[in-house]
Amino acid sequence: MNPRSAKLIVVTTCVFMFAGYLSHQGSALGQGKDVTISKDEQTTTVDCTGSDITVSGDDNKITLKGECRKLTVSGGDNNINAMTVTEVTVSGDDNNIRVETVARIRTSGSDNNITWKSGVGGKPPDISGGDDNNVKQGN
């Protein structure tokens, strides 16, 4: 093999490796970054893009745009509006949560109001748990 051919092979290999690296980085960016809201009395909007959202603070006003994998609420007295969430888990108390589309709702807290508009795939969400929680379909 002559030096020119060897150089061409090395350069071609580097180009393909770099393209693979960029492709991997692009898919990682599309997954979103998990977000934790632990402070109290915050007003914020989060673009989910496949993220897990954890709310441990109290008295927050939160808007979740896009599609979230999981919404976990352990804080209390929060008002949360979300577009699409695969699973909502609430262990806190006195939260008001509205979700456009949801697959599962789990509650172990009490006195929460959770309203959902539609389930995933036209089926109602799987709902379980909690004392004195009001989980209902709304518009």
Side-chain angles (χ1 to χ4, degrees):
M1 179 179 328
N2 68 34
R4 188 176 179 148
S5 295
K7 246 187 207 178
L8 183 60
I9 290 172
V10 169
V11 168
T12 304
T13 302
C14 289
V15 167
F16 281 112
M17 289 176 63
F18 185 67
Y21 170 78
L22 289 178
S23 171
H24 175 72
Q25 291 296 350
S27 65
L29 290 174
Q31 290 176 356
K33 192 173 184 181
D34 295 347
V35 176
T36 298
I37 300 168
S38 58
K39 293 184 179 180
D40 298 337
E41 299 179 7
Q42 301 293 303
T43 298
T44 190
T45 299
V46 177
D47 289 322
C48 284
T49 44
S51 302
D52 288 352
I53 308 298
T54 301
V55 180
S56 58
D58 300 325
D59 297 309
N60 293 296
K61 292 179 177 72
I62 301 166
T63 301
L64 303 175
K65 295 186 175 191
E67 188 171 332
C68 305
R69 277 189 313 245
K70 188 170 184 179
L71 169 61
T72 303
V73 183
S74 60
D77 296 310
N78 293 292
N79 288 301
I80 302 170
N81 289 301
M83 292 180 74
T84 303
V85 181
T86 303
E87 182 173 346
V88 175
T89 302
V90 183
S91 61
D93 301 326
D94 301 310
N95 293 289
N96 291 302
I97 302 169
R98 294 181 52 81
V99 182
E100 290 288 320
T101 306
V102 62
R104 285 179 298 286
I105 300 171
R106 306 278 184 255
T107 60
S108 60
S110 62
D111 299 319
N112 294 293
N113 292 304
I114 303 170
T115 305
W116 53 275
K117 186 173 183 180
S118 64
V120 174
K123 296 186 277 184
D126 178 28
I127 301 169
S128 67
D131 295 328
D132 299 321
N133 290 305
N134 183 15
V135 180
K136 65 180 181 179
Q137 186 173 17
N139 49 354

